[in-house]
Amino acid sequence: MGTDNSSLFGSLFDAPPLKRVVPVLVPLPVPVPYSYAVPEGMHVEPGSVVQVPVGPRQLIGVVWDGESQDGLDPKKLRPITLAFDCPPLSKEMRDFVDWVAAYTLSPPGLVARMAVRAPAALDPEPMVEAVRYVGGQPERLTPARVRVLDIVKAEDIPWTRSGLAHAAGVSMSVIDGLTAQGVFETVFLPPPPVVAKPEPDYTAPRIEGVQKEAAAEIVASIREGGFSASLIDGVTGSGKTEVYFEAIAETLRRGKQVLILLPEIALTPAFLERFQDRFGAKPGEWHSDLSPRMREKVWRGVVTGEVRVVAGARSALFLPFEELGLIIVDEEHDPAYKQEDRVFYNARDMAVVRGRIGDFPVVLVSATPSVESQVNGLSGRYNLVQLPTRFGDAALPDLHLIDMRRHAPERGGFLSPLLLRAMGRTLERKEQSLLFLNRRGYAPLTLCRVCGHRFQCPQCSSWLVEHRFKSQLQCHQCGYHQHTPEHCPDCGTFDHLVACGPGVERIAEEVEKHFPDARTIVMSSDILGGVKRMRLELEAIANGEADIVIGTQLVAKGHNFPLMTLVGIVDADLGLANGDPRAAERTFQLLSQVTGRAGRTGLKSHGLLQTYQPMHPVMQAIVSGDASAFYEREINEREKAILPPFGRLASIIISAETRADAETHARGLRAAAPRVTGISVLGPAEAPLALVRGRHRFRLLVHGRRNSDMQAFLRVMLDAGPKQRGSVQVQLDVDPQSFL
DNA sequence: AGCACGCCGACT
DNA sequence: GTCGGCGTGCTC
């Protein structure tokens, strides 16, 4: 008896069961799992989702593999609070989390958290209460009761109370009354599926010729089984979607789940309907403005395997599928695949990794592949599938450059006479024009005509953009804004401000001057009324309720406007000289997308690009429709100096008071990492970034010959000391070849 | 990531 | 005299 006795004999004879200790990844920025005691009677295994105490809080964690940390007193470990009733994360998923954490230098717990982000979904959905007819008659038959009984006799299935009441046209109390009489029994049904199961052969594929061959090629790689990476490179309207739908169909036939990744902006009702037309049901959706309830249902459906296909934005990559068998990355070049906070990753590349680890195919899709993917396609690392022609009646628009040095706009204007004439003809044909200018507001720079004062953001020193509709000067970097002043703050002169350069609002003004009777609409992200209004406007445009649309990026993606037969690019050179090493690539992608908005219904369509650099490779690639020379040049450029081989590049954000400080910092980092081949600094003027507490944020581009050199460099930087760690953020931006 | 602790400026 | 700013440190 007593403690003496048990300590004397306990270890030899009647030892209390050894407290089991397991490692648990907690959602904290710590490098290792924490250790927890498993309470008696609780079952956990690697992958189990649990709730654990951390300090004063209860957090959701995941039981991990390996030994728990040593050097901790097992008796002092706190117990796991509870284990959720949901399937554990698979070994594949755990390996994926570990891989991503190691590759992106992120705390594994923060990566794991992305996989279990629907806390309320961790317990099963409650059963649904229903009634079932057991026979017999109630004591008194009323007309309402007769109607109910007719229905259940005709269809002897369990009915939900509200469903039956609705079908019979009676109130719920009628049903409850019959239940009380013993005519119905109460049964519990599993909750209804969140989405119906898509059927691979719901309708026949609408593909022919080249599309058919391409589909056959990808389907073959799926049948073969195992990992493969393919790149579908197909011009806008070439039937890329139909081709990868066949890959999805084949995966569904083989009983595996499918993930379709899309940039958030491309995840439209139109896309979901297109999927439904082919497969008879919508895919599960996963994006940032999903309701919490829906998020839980989809998450649950994904882990249990009930949801067979998910269409989602980048975060969907971390959903713990029960048996994932295919990932499609549509618009693979889109920068929205990069997450640039907390865990820095590119979902496109991590998708390839997930396929590699899970041993299933990954298909990247784009009309304008990223240079990295293009290299992987050309080198054979990825299976390159090209769709060079448009499908069906969709003709490529006829594209021409307008050399602005020869066809200058009239004084004070920005639209060339050639473009204005084309717009006039389009109006006469009662077709639509789109003018694209990737700049919000009225004018990007305002100055005082008398003293030359330039309006600059007091917080981050970039130019203030005039927004005339709102009478504001806005900083597009940090969000600072002020009412447009009437006096110059420097010399006090009244009404002497002059706007420099165009924004969409100013173009709208010019258009209204030339075409006062046309219905003109400006589409930009600062449209009042939010997403809902935006959707309505886009729909109205598609229905032909506008003649001239003037828009930023926003109109470039996703939406189809059947009557749009003229696309004018106001300043095709914009963005070419902003210091971003990917400027040419981005411009090419954006211009391709915008010009691709036209000509999708067989109407003859045109694209006119205003440029001061008609010989620039981007312009030549766009008008010739042949991008191969452009890609070749971009690849060479990266090989040479700017971004040594294909994105073995780290982009790091640091904050400093002046550019000189940032450059000194960069030199220090360079000295600490001799194997890194170059560090360049992009400051607010070239690649504007937000300002943090009186300090400007700069982006360091660090290039290395080998991925491992980059990793070593970043480790050095992270270990540089707590003073730096606070102000230095790391983003890895590396190409997928090192995955394979 | 949160949350506490701890040390110096402007105020009810 | 305090209230409160955010730098630093800790969580099994």
Side-chain angles (χ1 to χ4, degrees):
Chain A
M1 327 200 120
T3 50
D4 284 351
N5 201 358
S6 64
S7 67
L8 192 59
F9 301 108
S11 60
L12 282 173
F13 304 106
D14 53 348
L18 263 181
K19 216 153 95 171
R20 191 155 81 98
V21 176
V22 291
V24 176
L25 277 188
V26 288
L28 300 177
V30 291
V32 289
Y34 280 174
S35 302
Y36 286 89
V38 182
E40 231 174 293
M42 179 187 284
H43 171 77
V44 292
E45 58 187 302
S48 295
V49 184
V50 294
Q51 192 180 68
V52 291
V54 180
R57 296 177 294 164
Q58 291 287 329
L59 300 177
I60 290 168
V62 184
V63 177
W64 217 239
D65 306 84
E67 297 298 309
S68 52
Q69 235 180 310
D70 42 59
L72 290 167
D73 183 354
K75 276 173 286 190
K76 286 193 181 152
L77 292 180
R78 303 173 74 179
I80 293 173
T81 310
L82 65 96
F84 289 99
D85 184 5
C86 74
L89 300 193
S90 64
K91 183 72 170 78
E92 247 173 65
M93 195 62 203
R94 272 137 48 210
D95 286 347
F96 179 55
V97 167
D98 279 335
W99 200 100
V100 171
Y103 186 77
T104 62
L105 303 174
S106 310
L110 297 188
V111 180
R113 187 178 60 171
M114 299 196 288
V116 287
R117 249 195 190 156
L122 296 169
D123 281 317
E125 293 262 320
M127 299 289 263
V128 175
E129 195 182 326
V131 293
R132 187 179 190 114
Y133 181 52
V134 289
Q137 295 277 331
E139 278 171 25
R140 279 181 348 105
L141 265 179
T142 62
R145 287 178 169 183
V146 170
R147 283 208 299 279
V148 172
L149 288 172
D150 283 348
I151 286 177
V152 295
K153 281 175 186 165
E155 223 177 324
D156 183 22
I157 52 163
W159 289 80
T160 63
R161 287 158 66 235
S162 61
L164 182 53
H166 186 78
V170 302
S171 82
M172 294 245 282
S173 61
V174 178
I175 315 292
D176 293 343
L178 288 167
T179 310
Q181 299 258 318
V183 175
F184 288 140
E185 62 173 351
T186 302
V187 293
F188 288 92
L189 303 175
V194 55
V195 281
K197 284 205 172 34
E199 295 167 35
D201 301 301
Y202 179 78
T203 52
R206 274 161 299 206
I207 50 173
E208 56 190 43
V210 190
Q211 284 75 27
K212 213 164 181 172
E213 287 165 33
E217 200 177 326
I218 290 177
V219 166
S221 71
I222 290 170
R223 291 210 177 116
E224 208 174 284
F227 169 76
S228 62
S230 307
L231 171 63
I232 302 181
D233 173 6
V235 296
T236 316
S238 63
K240 297 187 291 291
T241 312
E242 280 68 25
V243 170
Y244 75 66
F245 275 1
E246 292 322 292
I248 293 170
E250 182 61 19
T251 308
L252 291 175
R253 284 185 209 111
R254 300 169 73 87
K256 295 287 183 64
Q257 288 167 292
V258 176
L259 169 62
I260 309 168
L261 288 179
L262 294 154
E264 189 118 26
I265 198 160
L267 194 53
T268 57
F271 176 83
L272 301 175
E273 277 157 29
R274 201 164 161 193
F275 183 93
Q276 185 172 25
D277 288 346
R278 171 66 181 80
F279 295 105
K282 285 191 174 146
E285 281 176 69
W286 190 265
H287 51 79
S288 63
D289 58 30
L290 208 57
S291 73
R293 189 79 191 87
M294 201 59 185
R295 184 174 295 268
E296 291 159 19
K297 285 184 177 179
V298 173
W299 192 90
R300 191 84 201 166
V302 165
V303 281
T304 58
E306 179 189 287
V307 171
R308 304 312 294 171
V309 180
V310 170
R314 64 164 185 253
S315 62
L317 180 63
F318 289 91
L319 285 170
F321 287 85
E322 191 212 10
E323 42 175 357
L324 189 57
L326 174 69
I327 303 178
I328 308 286
V329 185
D330 201 353
E331 308 285 355
E332 67 84 29
H333 63 277
D334 199 297
Y337 282 119
K338 281 187 184 178
Q339 172 149 82
E340 305 202 275
D341 58 74
R342 297 190 180 94
V343 179
F344 291 70
Y345 67 94
N346 187 325
R348 175 246 288 162
D349 298 345
M350 295 307 105
V352 174
V353 172
R354 193 162 179 187
R356 169 94 260 184
I357 292 174
D359 202 32
F360 58 77
V362 178
V363 179
L364 311 184
V365 185
S366 177
T368 52
S370 59
V371 172
E372 303 92 281
S373 295
Q374 188 74 10
V375 165
N376 285 325
L378 294 173
S379 71
R381 193 175 291 113
Y382 292 175
N383 166 31
L384 183 58
V385 181
Q386 280 171 319
L387 298 171
T389 52
R390 278 199 167 184
F391 180 72
D393 61 354
L396 280 168
D398 204 2
L399 299 177
H400 294 281
L401 298 176
I402 298 177
D403 183 345
M404 294 301 275
R405 295 167 304 186
R406 286 166 48 199
H407 305 280
E410 65 182 57
R411 204 176 153 71
F414 301 91
L415 302 175
S416 152
L418 290 181
L419 178 53
L420 287 167
R421 216 178 306 148
M423 290 170 70
R425 285 197 298 265
T426 309
L427 263 178
E428 281 163 23
R429 285 198 302 268
K430 307 229 183 299
E431 293 165 5
Q432 287 175 313
S433 303
L434 169 67
L435 289 187
F436 173 78
L437 174 64
N438 204 13
R439 197 190 271 135
R440 291 155 48 210
Y442 185 84
L445 169 66
T446 304
L447 45 83
C448 170
R449 194 182 315 224
V450 174
C451 71
H453 172 83
R454 298 169 163 209
F455 285 85
Q456 218 170 11
C457 176
Q459 292 179 42
C460 65
S461 74
S462 55
W463 304 135
L464 291 175
V465 179
E466 182 184 355
H467 285 242
R468 204 161 273 194
F469 294 174
K470 286 184 186 161
S471 302
Q472 276 185 351
L473 295 180
Q474 289 185 8
C475 173
H476 285 181
Q477 258 55 66
C478 67
Y480 168 89
H481 57 92
Q482 63 179 72
H483 194 81
T484 306
E486 292 176 346
H487 300 84
C488 172
D490 244 23
C491 68
T493 316
F494 183 76
D495 201 17
H496 273 250
L497 304 183
V498 47
C500 299
V504 279
E505 291 179 7
R506 197 168 188 180
I507 297 301
E509 193 180 83
E510 189 174 347
V511 166
E512 273 154 22
K513 198 180 89 194
H514 285 94
F515 307 104
D517 298 328
R519 295 165 301 172
T520 301
I521 183 171
V522 174
M523 292 296 294
S524 79
S525 60
D526 37 26
I527 195 166
L528 299 164
V531 179
K532 214 171 144 193
R533 164 91 184 277
M534 195 91 75
R535 290 238 168 85
L536 289 173
E537 301 279 17
L538 288 167
E539 206 168 305
I541 295 168
N543 291 336
E545 289 169 36
D547 302 311
I548 301 170
V549 180
I550 298 146
T552 59
Q553 286 226 46
L554 211 111
V555 292
K557 309 200 177 193
H559 306 278
N560 281 333
F561 307 112
L563 296 170
M564 196 78 78
T565 58
L566 174 68
V567 173
I569 312 286
V570 176
D571 185 355
D573 308 332
L574 181 71
L576 275 179
N578 68 358
D580 185 331
R582 291 187 215 270
E585 180 185 348
R586 289 273 144 78
T587 303
F588 168 71
Q589 288 161 345
L590 193 55
L591 295 184
S592 296
Q593 257 169 2
V594 182
T595 52
R597 291 300 104 210
R600 309 202 65 171
T601 45
L603 289 173
K604 182 74 200 138
S605 63
H606 305 268
L608 292 172
L609 294 85
Q610 298 193 158
T611 176
Y612 288 90
Q613 308 171 60
M615 296 316 289
H616 193 286
V618 168
M619 303 308 150
Q620 291 298 315
I622 294 282
V623 285
S624 69
D626 176 10
S628 55
F630 170 71
Y631 277 109
E632 200 178 312
R633 175 178 174 276
E634 282 301 294
I635 292 166
N636 283 336
E637 287 295 306
R638 293 199 188 186
E639 279 282 15
K640 267 194 321 215
I642 305 170
L643 304 182
F646 328 133
R648 255 162 263 158
L649 164 78
S651 166
I652 296 158
I653 297 165
I654 62 164
S655 60
E657 287 188 19
T658 65
R659 192 189 167 101
D661 287 351
E663 279 167 356
T664 307
H665 195 108
R667 275 194 296 277
L669 293 170
R670 176 100 172 73
R675 303 203 59 156
V676 164
T677 52
I679 299 182
S680 49
V681 179
L682 299 185
E686 303 94 328
L689 292 161
L691 183 104
V692 201
R693 272 195 226 138
R695 296 157 73 87
H696 299 288
R697 291 175 72 176
F698 296 87
R699 188 182 284 265
L700 299 190
L701 295 173
V702 184
H703 336 122
R705 282 276 144 196
R706 294 191 319 196
N707 198 33
S708 55
D709 296 343
M710 300 304 300
Q711 297 262 323
F713 167 76
L714 293 165
R715 289 222 165 77
V716 166
M717 208 186 62
L718 281 179
D719 295 339
K723 262 183 238 146
Q724 284 190 15
R725 204 176 302 158
S727 64
V728 176
Q729 289 178 60
V730 183
Q731 177 204 350
L732 266 182
D733 182 6
V734 192
D735 107 286
Q737 65 188 343
S738 52
F739 312 161
L740 305 181

